[in-house]
Amino acid sequence: MSRIHEALKKAEQERAANQGVAVQPSFAPPPPVADSPLYTEAPASPMAAESLVAGMPVLATPYGVEALLGRCPQLEWRPDLSTMLFMNGDDSARGTEEFRTLRSRLYHMREKMTLKSLLVTSALPKEGKSFTSANLAQVVVRQHGRRALLIDGDLRGPRLHQVLGTTPGPGLAEYLQGKNDEFSVMQRGPMENLFFIPAGTGIEDPAEMVGNGRLKILLQRLEHLFDWIIIDSPPAVPVADASLLAKACDGVLMVVRSNSTPSEMARRARLEFPDQAMVGVVLNGTREDAAPYQRYYYEAYEKKTTEPKA
């Protein structure tokens, strides 16, 4: 064996000498396999600079639905079935048809304007913002392939985590403080394609947090993953948070409560958004017998329909 080896070695040396090059190993070591981390160092940009200042990782963009589904945890929600209309299995429950109509109107408006991120607010507390926000997000994802992100932007009185029956944080507050990235504050529950960012915990200065500009960065990073981003906000008249949140959104949807919201308060609330598109008003809290003919039509139509509604 040694004689064969010496003969091969001698032949290789003679061949190299004739070609005028040094003898090299037959096989080079394979190149190192680079990892593909989700977070990488991005080219310098105003957005990247701001994120680095905040101590937040910079996302390599774009990232897709696979990353969203892979990193966003799925939790066990225990929703309030008396108010979460599309989670109780009754497609004809009172109010469901109204939300389908609202969904259609918003899509019609989208044909004429940029409308993906929507702020839901009201003049005063307890007029139905959270109810409207949550059910609007639910009716969006009832359509096949539609994804919606629901954000609790009411850092003063968060409620959405309660009606959805899930954890209050980490959430928007942690993101705005630079403590968490978007995937670690987002969660999903039993409804396919419905994602949720709760308000979070440890909130000390809500106005300062919602006005620091990071909400806009959050929406820019996520908007390509969703058909709609719906943000529930504090009431517009008592505090300035809603007007600050609206600066990052494409439109504002106002909720007023029947026989409750003073007209002067509704007018003042509208004045809080002089530069934002007011896409409509939702009248909440009407009595069941307030529109008997409309209800009669729905019931007659529903009896003829056997397939579940979107």
Side-chain angles (χ1 to χ4, degrees), residues 51-89:
S51 297
L52 289 171
V53 169
M56 297 171 59
V58 179
L59 278 174
T61 57
Y63 52 92
V65 178
E66 293 76 13
L68 176 68
L69 297 176
R71 296 204 58 197
C72 178
Q74 185 166 17
L75 305 183
E76 183 180 357
W77 293 359
R78 300 181 184 277
D80 178 359
L81 299 182
S82 65
T83 57
M84 297 297 96
L85 303 179
F86 298 92
M87 290 184 174
N88 61 13

PDB file of all heavy atoms in Angstrom, residues 51-89:
ATOM      1  N   SER A  51     -35.197  52.569  15.440  1.00  0.00           N
ATOM      2  CA  SER A  51     -35.329  51.316  16.156  1.00  0.00           C
ATOM      3  C   SER A  51     -34.080  51.020  16.963  1.00  0.00           C
ATOM      4  O   SER A  51     -34.157  50.538  18.085  1.00  0.00           O
ATOM      5  CB  SER A  51     -35.589  50.185  15.160  1.00  0.00           C
ATOM      6  OG  SER A  51     -36.801  50.406  14.494  1.00  0.00           O
ATOM      7  N   LEU A  52     -32.896  51.308  16.381  1.00  0.00           N
ATOM      8  CA  LEU A  52     -31.668  51.040  17.099  1.00  0.00           C
ATOM      9  C   LEU A  52     -31.551  51.924  18.320  1.00  0.00           C
ATOM     10  O   LEU A  52     -31.105  51.500  19.381  1.00  0.00           O
ATOM     11  CB  LEU A  52     -30.478  51.259  16.161  1.00  0.00           C
ATOM     12  CG  LEU A  52     -30.317  50.201  15.062  1.00  0.00           C
ATOM     13  CD1 LEU A  52     -29.252  50.635  14.081  1.00  0.00           C
ATOM     14  CD2 LEU A  52     -29.969  48.853  15.680  1.00  0.00           C
ATOM     15  N   VAL A  53     -31.969  53.168  18.189  1.00  0.00           N
ATOM     16  CA  VAL A  53     -31.944  54.065  19.328  1.00  0.00           C
ATOM     17  C   VAL A  53     -32.820  53.544  20.447  1.00  0.00           C
ATOM     18  O   VAL A  53     -32.480  53.613  21.617  1.00  0.00           O
ATOM     19  CB  VAL A  53     -32.398  55.470  18.895  1.00  0.00           C
ATOM     20  CG1 VAL A  53     -32.630  56.344  20.111  1.00  0.00           C
ATOM     21  CG2 VAL A  53     -31.342  56.095  17.987  1.00  0.00           C
ATOM     22  N   ALA A  54     -33.940  52.969  20.051  1.00  0.00           N
ATOM     23  CA  ALA A  54     -34.861  52.461  21.056  1.00  0.00           C
ATOM     24  C   ALA A  54     -34.422  51.134  21.622  1.00  0.00           C
ATOM     25  O   ALA A  54     -35.070  50.595  22.498  1.00  0.00           O
ATOM     26  CB  ALA A  54     -36.245  52.313  20.434  1.00  0.00           C
ATOM     27  N   GLY A  55     -33.310  50.589  21.117  1.00  0.00           N
ATOM     28  CA  GLY A  55     -32.852  49.313  21.615  1.00  0.00           C
ATOM     29  C   GLY A  55     -33.636  48.149  21.077  1.00  0.00           C
ATOM     30  O   GLY A  55     -33.599  47.046  21.622  1.00  0.00           O
ATOM     31  N   MET A  56     -34.354  48.358  19.995  1.00  0.00           N
ATOM     32  CA  MET A  56     -35.167  47.299  19.425  1.00  0.00           C
ATOM     33  C   MET A  56     -34.431  46.643  18.265  1.00  0.00           C
ATOM     34  O   MET A  56     -33.671  47.294  17.551  1.00  0.00           O
ATOM     35  CB  MET A  56     -36.492  47.875  18.924  1.00  0.00           C
ATOM     36  CG  MET A  56     -37.329  48.470  20.017  1.00  0.00           C
ATOM     37  SD  MET A  56     -38.734  49.350  19.348  1.00  0.00           S
ATOM     38  CE  MET A  56     -39.547  48.063  18.447  1.00  0.00           C
ATOM     39  N   PRO A  57     -34.644  45.347  18.049  1.00  0.00           N
ATOM     40  CA  PRO A  57     -34.022  44.686  16.908  1.00  0.00           C
ATOM     41  C   PRO A  57     -34.597  45.226  15.608  1.00  0.00           C
ATOM     42  O   PRO A  57     -35.745  45.645  15.551  1.00  0.00           O
ATOM     43  CB  PRO A  57     -34.398  43.214  17.120  1.00  0.00           C
ATOM     44  CG  PRO A  57     -35.633  43.253  17.942  1.00  0.00           C
ATOM     45  CD  PRO A  57     -35.499  44.461  18.834  1.00  0.00           C
ATOM     46  N   VAL A  58     -33.777  45.205  14.586  1.00  0.00           N
ATOM     47  CA  VAL A  58     -34.215  45.691  13.281  1.00  0.00           C
ATOM     48  C   VAL A  58     -34.610  44.503  12.433  1.00  0.00           C
ATOM     49  O   VAL A  58     -33.871  43.535  12.308  1.00  0.00           O
ATOM     50  CB  VAL A  58     -33.089  46.469  12.590  1.00  0.00           C
ATOM     51  CG1 VAL A  58     -33.543  46.957  11.229  1.00  0.00           C
ATOM     52  CG2 VAL A  58     -32.663  47.626  13.461  1.00  0.00           C
ATOM     53  N   LEU A  59     -35.771  44.570  11.849  1.00  0.00           N
ATOM     54  CA  LEU A  59     -36.266  43.450  11.068  1.00  0.00           C
ATOM     55  C   LEU A  59     -35.673  43.432   9.680  1.00  0.00           C
ATOM     56  O   LEU A  59     -35.552  44.464   9.042  1.00  0.00           O
ATOM     57  CB  LEU A  59     -37.785  43.536  10.940  1.00  0.00           C
ATOM     58  CG  LEU A  59     -38.586  43.013  12.110  1.00  0.00           C
ATOM     59  CD1 LEU A  59     -40.042  43.309  11.887  1.00  0.00           C
ATOM     60  CD2 LEU A  59     -38.381  41.520  12.266  1.00  0.00           C
ATOM     61  N   ALA A  60     -35.288  42.242   9.234  1.00  0.00           N
ATOM     62  CA  ALA A  60     -34.957  42.077   7.832  1.00  0.00           C
ATOM     63  C   ALA A  60     -36.274  41.993   7.079  1.00  0.00           C
ATOM     64  O   ALA A  60     -37.101  41.151   7.367  1.00  0.00           O
ATOM     65  CB  ALA A  60     -34.158  40.799   7.639  1.00  0.00           C
ATOM     66  N   THR A  61     -36.516  42.857   6.182  1.00  0.00           N
ATOM     67  CA  THR A  61     -37.794  42.917   5.489  1.00  0.00           C
ATOM     68  C   THR A  61     -37.623  42.500   4.050  1.00  0.00           C
ATOM     69  O   THR A  61     -36.552  42.670   3.467  1.00  0.00           O
ATOM     70  CB  THR A  61     -38.352  44.346   5.552  1.00  0.00           C
ATOM     71  OG1 THR A  61     -37.379  45.218   4.983  1.00  0.00           O
ATOM     72  CG2 THR A  61     -38.653  44.740   6.962  1.00  0.00           C
ATOM     73  N   PRO A  62     -38.661  41.996   3.398  1.00  0.00           N
ATOM     74  CA  PRO A  62     -39.948  41.702   4.016  1.00  0.00           C
ATOM     75  C   PRO A  62     -39.971  40.304   4.631  1.00  0.00           C
ATOM     76  O   PRO A  62     -39.178  39.468   4.270  1.00  0.00           O
ATOM     77  CB  PRO A  62     -40.909  41.799   2.837  1.00  0.00           C
ATOM     78  CG  PRO A  62     -40.089  41.321   1.683  1.00  0.00           C
ATOM     79  CD  PRO A  62     -38.683  41.797   1.953  1.00  0.00           C
ATOM     80  N   TYR A  63     -40.857  40.088   5.557  1.00  0.00           N
ATOM     81  CA  TYR A  63     -41.091  38.752   6.082  1.00  0.00           C
ATOM     82  C   TYR A  63     -42.548  38.422   5.840  1.00  0.00           C
ATOM     83  O   TYR A  63     -43.379  39.303   5.654  1.00  0.00           O
ATOM     84  CB  TYR A  63     -40.742  38.661   7.564  1.00  0.00           C
ATOM     85  CG  TYR A  63     -41.395  39.714   8.417  1.00  0.00           C
ATOM     86  CD1 TYR A  63     -42.614  39.464   9.013  1.00  0.00           C
ATOM     87  CD2 TYR A  63     -40.790  40.929   8.619  1.00  0.00           C
ATOM     88  CE1 TYR A  63     -43.219  40.431   9.792  1.00  0.00           C
ATOM     89  CE2 TYR A  63     -41.391  41.895   9.394  1.00  0.00           C
ATOM     90  CZ  TYR A  63     -42.608  41.641   9.982  1.00  0.00           C
ATOM     91  OH  TYR A  63     -43.212  42.588  10.744  1.00  0.00           O
ATOM     92  N   GLY A  64     -42.842  37.134   5.808  1.00  0.00           N
ATOM     93  CA  GLY A  64     -44.150  36.723   5.325  1.00  0.00           C
ATOM     94  C   GLY A  64     -45.032  36.107   6.388  1.00  0.00           C
ATOM     95  O   GLY A  64     -44.750  36.159   7.586  1.00  0.00           O
ATOM     96  N   VAL A  65     -46.100  35.485   5.889  1.00  0.00           N
ATOM     97  CA  VAL A  65     -47.093  34.892   6.767  1.00  0.00           C
ATOM     98  C   VAL A  65     -46.499  33.731   7.554  1.00  0.00           C
ATOM     99  O   VAL A  65     -46.887  33.478   8.693  1.00  0.00           O
ATOM    100  CB  VAL A  65     -48.296  34.419   5.930  1.00  0.00           C
ATOM    101  CG1 VAL A  65     -49.330  33.741   6.814  1.00  0.00           C
ATOM    102  CG2 VAL A  65     -48.920  35.587   5.198  1.00  0.00           C
ATOM    103  N   GLU A  66     -45.522  33.018   6.943  1.00  0.00           N
ATOM    104  CA  GLU A  66     -44.913  31.887   7.649  1.00  0.00           C
ATOM    105  C   GLU A  66     -44.248  32.354   8.939  1.00  0.00           C
ATOM    106  O   GLU A  66     -44.362  31.702   9.979  1.00  0.00           O
ATOM    107  CB  GLU A  66     -43.890  31.197   6.748  1.00  0.00           C
ATOM    108  CG  GLU A  66     -44.475  30.494   5.530  1.00  0.00           C
ATOM    109  CD  GLU A  66     -44.867  31.455   4.435  1.00  0.00           C
ATOM    110  OE1 GLU A  66     -44.455  32.636   4.521  1.00  0.00           O
ATOM    111  OE2 GLU A  66     -45.597  31.058   3.515  1.00  0.00           O
ATOM    112  N   ALA A  67     -43.548  33.481   8.857  1.00  0.00           N
ATOM    113  CA  ALA A  67     -42.916  34.024  10.063  1.00  0.00           C
ATOM    114  C   ALA A  67     -43.969  34.436  11.081  1.00  0.00           C
ATOM    115  O   ALA A  67     -43.811  34.224  12.290  1.00  0.00           O
ATOM    116  CB  ALA A  67     -42.036  35.217   9.693  1.00  0.00           C
ATOM    117  N   LEU A  68     -45.053  35.011  10.589  1.00  0.00           N
ATOM    118  CA  LEU A  68     -46.132  35.430  11.486  1.00  0.00           C
ATOM    119  C   LEU A  68     -46.717  34.232  12.226  1.00  0.00           C
ATOM    120  O   LEU A  68     -46.859  34.245  13.457  1.00  0.00           O
ATOM    121  CB  LEU A  68     -47.219  36.140  10.676  1.00  0.00           C
ATOM    122  CG  LEU A  68     -48.477  36.556  11.437  1.00  0.00           C
ATOM    123  CD1 LEU A  68     -48.161  37.664  12.418  1.00  0.00           C
ATOM    124  CD2 LEU A  68     -49.566  37.009  10.456  1.00  0.00           C
ATOM    125  N   LEU A  69     -47.037  33.178  11.486  1.00  0.00           N
ATOM    126  CA  LEU A  69     -47.653  32.003  12.105  1.00  0.00           C
ATOM    127  C   LEU A  69     -46.655  31.253  12.981  1.00  0.00           C
ATOM    128  O   LEU A  69     -47.026  30.654  13.991  1.00  0.00           O
ATOM    129  CB  LEU A  69     -48.195  31.075  11.015  1.00  0.00           C
ATOM    130  CG  LEU A  69     -49.316  31.657  10.150  1.00  0.00           C
ATOM    131  CD1 LEU A  69     -49.705  30.679   9.055  1.00  0.00           C
ATOM    132  CD2 LEU A  69     -50.531  32.012  10.987  1.00  0.00           C
ATOM    133  N   GLY A  70     -45.396  31.303  12.593  1.00  0.00           N
ATOM    134  CA  GLY A  70     -44.393  30.566  13.353  1.00  0.00           C
ATOM    135  C   GLY A  70     -44.023  31.224  14.661  1.00  0.00           C
ATOM    136  O   GLY A  70     -43.688  30.537  15.635  1.00  0.00           O
ATOM    137  N   ARG A  71     -44.088  32.526  14.723  1.00  0.00           N
ATOM    138  CA  ARG A  71     -43.607  33.219  15.917  1.00  0.00           C
ATOM    139  C   ARG A  71     -44.715  33.750  16.807  1.00  0.00           C
ATOM    140  O   ARG A  71     -44.494  34.047  17.969  1.00  0.00           O
ATOM    141  CB  ARG A  71     -42.705  34.375  15.509  1.00  0.00           C
ATOM    142  CG  ARG A  71     -41.431  33.917  14.788  1.00  0.00           C
ATOM    143  CD  ARG A  71     -40.360  34.940  14.911  1.00  0.00           C
ATOM    144  NE  ARG A  71     -40.043  35.234  16.300  1.00  0.00           N
ATOM    145  CZ  ARG A  71     -39.385  36.310  16.690  1.00  0.00           C
ATOM    146  NH1 ARG A  71     -39.005  37.194  15.797  1.00  0.00           N
ATOM    147  NH2 ARG A  71     -39.127  36.522  17.949  1.00  0.00           N
ATOM    148  N   CYS A  72     -45.911  33.909  16.241  1.00  0.00           N
ATOM    149  CA  CYS A  72     -47.017  34.451  17.043  1.00  0.00           C
ATOM    150  C   CYS A  72     -47.681  33.315  17.812  1.00  0.00           C
ATOM    151  O   CYS A  72     -48.221  32.384  17.198  1.00  0.00           O
ATOM    152  CB  CYS A  72     -48.023  35.141  16.123  1.00  0.00           C
ATOM    153  SG  CYS A  72     -49.445  35.780  16.977  1.00  0.00           S
ATOM    154  N   PRO A  73     -47.681  33.326  19.139  1.00  0.00           N
ATOM    155  CA  PRO A  73     -48.238  32.207  19.905  1.00  0.00           C
ATOM    156  C   PRO A  73     -49.757  32.139  19.788  1.00  0.00           C
ATOM    157  O   PRO A  73     -50.445  33.159  19.693  1.00  0.00           O
ATOM    158  CB  PRO A  73     -47.809  32.521  21.339  1.00  0.00           C
ATOM    159  CG  PRO A  73     -47.643  34.001  21.371  1.00  0.00           C
ATOM    160  CD  PRO A  73     -47.150  34.391  20.010  1.00  0.00           C
ATOM    161  N   GLN A  74     -50.260  30.912  19.790  1.00  0.00           N
ATOM    162  CA  GLN A  74     -51.710  30.704  19.809  1.00  0.00           C
ATOM    163  C   GLN A  74     -52.126  30.373  21.231  1.00  0.00           C
ATOM    164  O   GLN A  74     -51.661  29.386  21.814  1.00  0.00           O
ATOM    165  CB  GLN A  74     -52.111  29.576  18.857  1.00  0.00           C
ATOM    166  CG  GLN A  74     -53.621  29.395  18.752  1.00  0.00           C
ATOM    167  CD  GLN A  74     -54.024  28.527  17.577  1.00  0.00           C
ATOM    168  OE1 GLN A  74     -53.202  27.804  17.025  1.00  0.00           O
ATOM    169  NE2 GLN A  74     -55.280  28.612  17.181  1.00  0.00           N
ATOM    170  N   LEU A  75     -52.993  31.185  21.790  1.00  0.00           N
ATOM    171  CA  LEU A  75     -53.401  31.035  23.181  1.00  0.00           C
ATOM    172  C   LEU A  75     -54.845  30.563  23.255  1.00  0.00           C
ATOM    173  O   LEU A  75     -55.608  30.654  22.289  1.00  0.00           O
ATOM    174  CB  LEU A  75     -53.248  32.374  23.922  1.00  0.00           C
ATOM    175  CG  LEU A  75     -51.869  33.030  23.878  1.00  0.00           C
ATOM    176  CD1 LEU A  75     -51.863  34.304  24.705  1.00  0.00           C
ATOM    177  CD2 LEU A  75     -50.778  32.072  24.362  1.00  0.00           C
ATOM    178  N   GLU A  76     -55.200  30.099  24.438  1.00  0.00           N
ATOM    179  CA  GLU A  76     -56.583  29.663  24.648  1.00  0.00           C
ATOM    180  C   GLU A  76     -57.407  30.845  25.150  1.00  0.00           C
ATOM    181  O   GLU A  76     -57.283  31.255  26.306  1.00  0.00           O
ATOM    182  CB  GLU A  76     -56.623  28.526  25.670  1.00  0.00           C
ATOM    183  CG  GLU A  76     -58.027  27.971  25.891  1.00  0.00           C
ATOM    184  CD  GLU A  76     -58.051  26.837  26.903  1.00  0.00           C
ATOM    185  OE1 GLU A  76     -56.953  26.460  27.371  1.00  0.00           O
ATOM    186  OE2 GLU A  76     -59.143  26.351  27.234  1.00  0.00           O
ATOM    187  N   TRP A  77     -58.198  31.410  24.273  1.00  0.00           N
ATOM    188  CA  TRP A  77     -59.052  32.531  24.656  1.00  0.00           C
ATOM    189  C   TRP A  77     -60.353  32.000  25.259  1.00  0.00           C
ATOM    190  O   TRP A  77     -60.862  30.942  24.865  1.00  0.00           O
ATOM    191  CB  TRP A  77     -59.386  33.390  23.443  1.00  0.00           C
ATOM    192  CG  TRP A  77     -58.210  34.116  22.849  1.00  0.00           C
ATOM    193  CD1 TRP A  77     -56.919  34.084  23.295  1.00  0.00           C
ATOM    194  CD2 TRP A  77     -58.214  34.965  21.698  1.00  0.00           C
ATOM    195  NE1 TRP A  77     -56.118  34.865  22.498  1.00  0.00           N
ATOM    196  CE2 TRP A  77     -56.880  35.415  21.514  1.00  0.00           C
ATOM    197  CE3 TRP A  77     -59.198  35.388  20.821  1.00  0.00           C
ATOM    198  CZ2 TRP A  77     -56.523  36.267  20.474  1.00  0.00           C
ATOM    199  CZ3 TRP A  77     -58.852  36.238  19.781  1.00  0.00           C
ATOM    200  CH2 TRP A  77     -57.520  36.676  19.608  1.00  0.00           C
ATOM    201  N   ARG A  78     -60.891  32.761  26.178  1.00  0.00           N
ATOM    202  CA  ARG A  78     -62.205  32.469  26.761  1.00  0.00           C
ATOM    203  C   ARG A  78     -63.091  33.696  26.574  1.00  0.00           C
ATOM    204  O   ARG A  78     -63.295  34.484  27.495  1.00  0.00           O
ATOM    205  CB  ARG A  78     -62.066  32.115  28.246  1.00  0.00           C
ATOM    206  CG  ARG A  78     -61.179  30.890  28.500  1.00  0.00           C
ATOM    207  CD  ARG A  78     -61.094  30.558  29.983  1.00  0.00           C
ATOM    208  NE  ARG A  78     -60.190  29.461  30.250  1.00  0.00           N
ATOM    209  CZ  ARG A  78     -60.509  28.174  30.148  1.00  0.00           C
ATOM    210  NH1 ARG A  78     -61.751  27.859  29.803  1.00  0.00           N
ATOM    211  NH2 ARG A  78     -59.633  27.225  30.386  1.00  0.00           N
ATOM    212  N   PRO A  79     -63.604  33.882  25.364  1.00  0.00           N
ATOM    213  CA  PRO A  79     -64.317  35.121  25.036  1.00  0.00           C
ATOM    214  C   PRO A  79     -65.656  35.235  25.753  1.00  0.00           C
ATOM    215  O   PRO A  79     -66.278  34.227  26.127  1.00  0.00           O
ATOM    216  CB  PRO A  79     -64.516  35.011  23.525  1.00  0.00           C
ATOM    217  CG  PRO A  79     -64.475  33.545  23.233  1.00  0.00           C
ATOM    218  CD  PRO A  79     -63.506  32.958  24.214  1.00  0.00           C
ATOM    219  N   ASP A  80     -66.073  36.464  25.922  1.00  0.00           N
ATOM    220  CA  ASP A  80     -67.405  36.746  26.452  1.00  0.00           C
ATOM    221  C   ASP A  80     -68.410  36.533  25.315  1.00  0.00           C
ATOM    222  O   ASP A  80     -68.571  37.384  24.439  1.00  0.00           O
ATOM    223  CB  ASP A  80     -67.446  38.194  26.949  1.00  0.00           C
ATOM    224  CG  ASP A  80     -68.819  38.578  27.483  1.00  0.00           C
ATOM    225  OD1 ASP A  80     -69.741  37.730  27.441  1.00  0.00           O
ATOM    226  OD2 ASP A  80     -68.968  39.733  27.933  1.00  0.00           O
ATOM    227  N   LEU A  81     -69.086  35.408  25.315  1.00  0.00           N
ATOM    228  CA  LEU A  81     -69.953  35.047  24.194  1.00  0.00           C
ATOM    229  C   LEU A  81     -71.206  35.920  24.113  1.00  0.00           C
ATOM    230  O   LEU A  81     -71.903  35.906  23.093  1.00  0.00           O
ATOM    231  CB  LEU A  81     -70.351  33.567  24.297  1.00  0.00           C
ATOM    232  CG  LEU A  81     -69.176  32.577  24.251  1.00  0.00           C
ATOM    233  CD1 LEU A  81     -69.693  31.147  24.310  1.00  0.00           C
ATOM    234  CD2 LEU A  81     -68.346  32.794  22.993  1.00  0.00           C
ATOM    235  N   SER A  82     -71.493  36.680  25.160  1.00  0.00           N
ATOM    236  CA  SER A  82     -72.656  37.557  25.099  1.00  0.00           C
ATOM    237  C   SER A  82     -72.377  38.817  24.273  1.00  0.00           C
ATOM    238  O   SER A  82     -73.310  39.482  23.812  1.00  0.00           O
ATOM    239  CB  SER A  82     -73.085  37.957  26.513  1.00  0.00           C
ATOM    240  OG  SER A  82     -72.070  38.744  27.142  1.00  0.00           O
ATOM    241  N   THR A  83     -71.098  39.137  24.084  1.00  0.00           N
ATOM    242  CA  THR A  83     -70.752  40.333  23.308  1.00  0.00           C
ATOM    243  C   THR A  83     -69.897  40.025  22.083  1.00  0.00           C
ATOM    244  O   THR A  83     -69.877  40.819  21.148  1.00  0.00           O
ATOM    245  CB  THR A  83     -69.992  41.348  24.179  1.00  0.00           C
ATOM    246  OG1 THR A  83     -68.820  40.715  24.728  1.00  0.00           O
ATOM    247  CG2 THR A  83     -70.860  41.838  25.325  1.00  0.00           C
ATOM    248  N   MET A  84     -69.194  38.915  22.071  1.00  0.00           N
ATOM    249  CA  MET A  84     -68.390  38.542  20.900  1.00  0.00           C
ATOM    250  C   MET A  84     -69.298  37.752  19.949  1.00  0.00           C
ATOM    251  O   MET A  84     -69.439  36.532  20.054  1.00  0.00           O
ATOM    252  CB  MET A  84     -67.172  37.735  21.324  1.00  0.00           C
ATOM    253  CG  MET A  84     -66.212  38.518  22.229  1.00  0.00           C
ATOM    254  SD  MET A  84     -65.466  39.980  21.422  1.00  0.00           S
ATOM    255  CE  MET A  84     -66.554  41.295  21.990  1.00  0.00           C
ATOM    256  N   LEU A  85     -69.935  38.470  19.046  1.00  0.00           N
ATOM    257  CA  LEU A  85     -71.060  37.939  18.291  1.00  0.00           C
ATOM    258  C   LEU A  85     -70.701  36.801  17.355  1.00  0.00           C
ATOM    259  O   LEU A  85     -71.543  35.956  17.047  1.00  0.00           O
ATOM    260  CB  LEU A  85     -71.701  39.073  17.481  1.00  0.00           C
ATOM    261  CG  LEU A  85     -72.177  40.280  18.298  1.00  0.00           C
ATOM    262  CD1 LEU A  85     -72.769  41.339  17.384  1.00  0.00           C
ATOM    263  CD2 LEU A  85     -73.196  39.847  19.341  1.00  0.00           C
ATOM    264  N   PHE A  86     -69.465  36.778  16.869  1.00  0.00           N
ATOM    265  CA  PHE A  86     -69.114  35.785  15.857  1.00  0.00           C
ATOM    266  C   PHE A  86     -68.324  34.619  16.451  1.00  0.00           C
ATOM    267  O   PHE A  86     -67.760  33.825  15.721  1.00  0.00           O
ATOM    268  CB  PHE A  86     -68.316  36.454  14.735  1.00  0.00           C
ATOM    269  CG  PHE A  86     -69.115  37.511  14.020  1.00  0.00           C
ATOM    270  CD1 PHE A  86     -69.059  38.838  14.437  1.00  0.00           C
ATOM    271  CD2 PHE A  86     -69.931  37.179  12.954  1.00  0.00           C
ATOM    272  CE1 PHE A  86     -69.807  39.812  13.787  1.00  0.00           C
ATOM    273  CE2 PHE A  86     -70.681  38.143  12.309  1.00  0.00           C
ATOM    274  CZ  PHE A  86     -70.617  39.467  12.729  1.00  0.00           C
ATOM    275  N   MET A  87     -68.308  34.529  17.754  1.00  0.00           N
ATOM    276  CA  MET A  87     -67.598  33.430  18.404  1.00  0.00           C
ATOM    277  C   MET A  87     -68.540  32.463  19.085  1.00  0.00           C
ATOM    278  O   MET A  87     -68.099  31.487  19.688  1.00  0.00           O
ATOM    279  CB  MET A  87     -66.604  33.973  19.439  1.00  0.00           C
ATOM    280  CG  MET A  87     -65.413  34.702  18.825  1.00  0.00           C
ATOM    281  SD  MET A  87     -64.216  35.228  20.078  1.00  0.00           S
ATOM    282  CE  MET A  87     -62.880  35.855  19.046  1.00  0.00           C
ATOM    283  N   ASN A  88     -69.847  32.739  19.029  1.00  0.00           N
ATOM    284  CA  ASN A  88     -70.780  31.869  19.747  1.00  0.00           C
ATOM    285  C   ASN A  88     -71.509  30.899  18.822  1.00  0.00           C
ATOM    286  O   ASN A  88     -72.382  30.168  19.283  1.00  0.00           O
ATOM    287  CB  ASN A  88     -71.790  32.703  20.539  1.00  0.00           C
ATOM    288  CG  ASN A  88     -72.623  33.592  19.636  1.00  0.00           C
ATOM    289  OD1 ASN A  88     -72.625  33.418  18.403  1.00  0.00           O
ATOM    290  ND2 ASN A  88     -73.336  34.543  20.225  1.00  0.00           N
ATOM    291  N   GLY A  89     -71.160  30.898  17.543  1.00  0.00           N
ATOM    292  CA  GLY A  89     -71.748  29.935  16.611  1.00  0.00           C
ATOM    293  C   GLY A  89     -73.109  30.300  16.090  1.00  0.00           C
ATOM    294  O   GLY A  89     -73.685  29.558  15.283  1.00  0.00           O
TER     295      GLY A  89
END
